[in-house]
Amino acid sequence: MTLQLRVYVPPHPLIKHWLAVARDAGTPSVLFRSAMTELGRWLTYEAARDWLPTQEIAVQSPLDTCPATVIDPQVPMAVVPILRAGLGLLEGAQTLLPLASIYHLGLARDEETLQPHCYLNKLPEKFDPQTRVLITDPMLATGGSIMAAMAELTQRGADPTLMRIVCVVAAPPALQKLSEAYPGLIIYTATIDEKLNNQGYIVPGLGDAGDRIFGT
């Protein structure tokens, strides 16, 4: 079967609501952070569907023994927030994946060339090949940062078909690059916007998510 990039835009009313809050230029930083946390939570909830490994066990109810399905604790989980804006989605994601290891990856974009450079890399030398990796990055715009992150992850043994990307807004240039390089990848986003401006920002987008999260 030929692999193909899949992008899901869940029609959840809470995702739509918090996207509207995040889009509003009048939203103060403290409320914008809340919007990012909630979007991280609900998008991760959707991404976890049919993705988290499970196992069948038996439990004793107050009345009888019965079959049950639980998350398999033997399969490693990892969350990789792309700094710094990816931290805004991390809190919500972490509430649903409390046992996941957190690996920070710091990427900054040169505003002239639009190319990313790495200033912090806390990824392990090698991932277990079965590791489920969730990447959080609010904006998939030009694709530079997410492609750099994917390169770092895959060269350490992470399997793209077991990864999920959670973002708030995606744009065609980033999706096209990911589709060509990682056709088995799956993305969950609150929306897809149609274009970038001359500075490489998504329009209408959110503005600079990092600045709005941290107020700097």
Side-chain angles (χ1 to χ4, degrees), residues 76-80 101 103 122-133 152-159 163:
M77 295 286 306
V79 180
V80 180
S101 300
Y103 300 105
K122 302 298 287 185
L123 299 177
E125 287 297 319
K126 197 71 175 176
F127 282 98
D128 182 296
Q130 294 303 309
T131 303
R132 269 58 173 179
V133 179
E152 291 289 342
L153 287 161
T154 54
Q155 73 179 11
R156 288 168 169 76
D159 182 350
M163 295 183 196

Side-chain angles (χ1 to χ4, degrees), residues 64-132:
D64 199 359
T65 302
C66 62
T69 302
V70 297
I71 304 300
D72 188 345
Q74 301 303 313
V75 178
M77 295 286 306
V79 180
V80 180
I82 308 302
L83 306 188
R84 63 181 174 157
L87 292 173
L89 299 172
L90 174 61
E91 182 180 350
Q94 201 169 12
T95 61
L96 300 182
L97 305 173
L99 300 182
S101 300
I102 310 299
Y103 300 105
H104 296 88
L105 185 61
L107 298 170
R109 186 174 72 168
D110 186 302
E111 295 304 326
E112 292 185 3
T113 66
L114 304 182
Q115 296 302 307
H117 69 272
C118 182
Y119 63 87
L120 178 70
N121 188 335
K122 302 298 287 185
L123 299 177
E125 287 297 319
K126 197 71 175 176
F127 282 98
D128 182 296
Q130 294 303 309
T131 303
R132 269 58 173 179

Side-chain angles (χ1 to χ4, degrees), residues 10-56:
H12 199 296
L14 288 171
I15 293 176
K16 293 179 179 181
H17 172 83
W18 288 110
L19 173 63
V21 174
R23 284 220 199 254
D24 190 339
T27 296
S29 182
V30 63
L31 184 53
F32 187 85
R33 286 196 297 273
S34 294
M36 289 293 104
T37 296
E38 292 302 322
L39 287 165
R41 187 192 326 277
W42 294 109
L43 287 166
T44 299
Y45 170 84
E46 295 288 348
R49 193 189 305 272
D50 302 321
W51 179 59
L52 291 179
T54 60
Q55 60 180 183
E56 302 303 314

